[in-house]
Amino acid sequence: MIYHTFASLREQTALSEKMREYHRMMTKALLFQSGIPILIVIVPVTISNCAYVINVDGILITSFCVTIVSTHSFMQSVAVLTTTPIYRKKLMLTLQCIVPPVVFVLTMLPIQLEYLELIRHPIIEAIINIVRAFCPIDLVIT
C-alpha cells in the first residue's frame, strides 16, 4: 500500500512537481504519525501480555509498559507538531518568543540574588557556577 501510494504519486501527471513533492512529504509524515501507536501502544501491550503468558513476575514489566502507553497522547501530539510543516513553523515561532525570556530569567535571577546576598543555598550556588561556566565574564556580576 505504501509502495502503491508513492508509485501513484510518481505517475501522476495532473499535479505539478511542487504539489507531488508536498504529497510525498505529507505521506511520509502520515507514516511516521501512524507508527507512534504501534511503538507506544501495541508493542508495550504485547510485551506485557507475553510476560503474563510465560508466567514472569510482571509487576515491574507491566508498570513500565503502562507508563510507556500513558505517553501516547503526548508523543502523538509531538509527532503531529514536528512532522506537519505548518504546525512546525508555528511551533518554532512560538518557541522563539518563549525561550529567550525564560533563559534570561533562569540565568540572571540566581546571579542577582547572590549579588544581593539574599540566597546562599547550595543549589543556587551550583546554578550560579554553571551559568558562570557558560556565560562570558562580562555578563556575570561578581
Side-chain angles (χ1 to χ4, degrees), residues 109-128:
L109 184 63
I111 294 169
Q112 293 298 326
L113 291 176
E114 183 198 34
Y115 180 70
L116 297 173
E117 296 184 6
L118 296 177
I119 294 181
R120 288 288 185 186
H121 193 273
I123 294 175
I124 298 297
E125 303 254 342
I127 293 171
I128 291 168

Side-chain angles (χ1 to χ4, degrees), residues 27-39 76 79:
T27 304
K28 289 176 186 176
L30 180 64
L31 289 171
F32 181 76
Q33 291 172 18
S34 63
I36 297 293
I38 292 169
L39 290 175
Q76 189 68 34

Side-chain angles (χ1 to χ4, degrees), residues 45-58 61-62:
V45 168
T46 304
I47 291 171
S48 180
N49 287 337
C50 288
Y52 175 74
V53 168
I54 61 174
N55 271 341
V56 175
D57 185 21
I61 294 171
T62 304

Side-chain angles (χ1 to χ4, degrees), residues 9-132:
L9 281 174
R10 270 193 308 270
E11 296 168 3
Q12 192 62 251
T13 57
L15 296 174
S16 68
E17 184 59 36
K18 188 174 182 180
M19 188 57 76
R20 276 191 294 223
E21 185 59 36
Y22 181 75
H23 278 281
R24 267 188 232 110
M25 181 179 56
M26 294 309 291
T27 304
K28 289 176 186 176
L30 180 64
L31 289 171
F32 181 76
Q33 291 172 18
S34 63
I36 297 293
I38 292 169
L39 290 175
I40 296 183
V41 176
I42 295 173
V43 170
V45 168
T46 304
I47 291 171
S48 180
N49 287 337
C50 288
Y52 175 74
V53 168
I54 61 174
N55 271 341
V56 175
D57 185 21
I59 299 219
L60 184 61
I61 294 171
T62 304
S63 299
F64 184 70
C65 290
V66 167
T67 303
I68 291 174
V69 170
S70 68
T71 65
H72 173 262
S73 62
F74 174 73
M75 296 303 284
Q76 189 68 34
S77 300
V78 168
V80 169
L81 287 173
T82 56
T83 59
T84 308
I86 295 171
Y87 295 149
R88 185 174 52 233
K89 184 178 179 182
K90 183 64 178 172
L91 178 67
M92 290 300 142
L93 289 173
T94 304
L95 287 177
Q96 286 175 356
C97 294
I98 293 173
V99 171
V102 170
V103 169
F104 177 77
V105 168
L106 289 178
T107 57
M108 295 308 291
L109 184 63
I111 294 169
Q112 293 298 326
L113 291 176
E114 183 198 34
Y115 180 70
L116 297 173
E117 296 184 6
L118 296 177
I119 294 181
R120 288 288 185 186
H121 193 273
I123 294 175
I124 298 297
E125 303 254 342
I127 293 171
I128 291 168
N129 291 333
I130 291 169
V131 170
R132 283 189 177 139

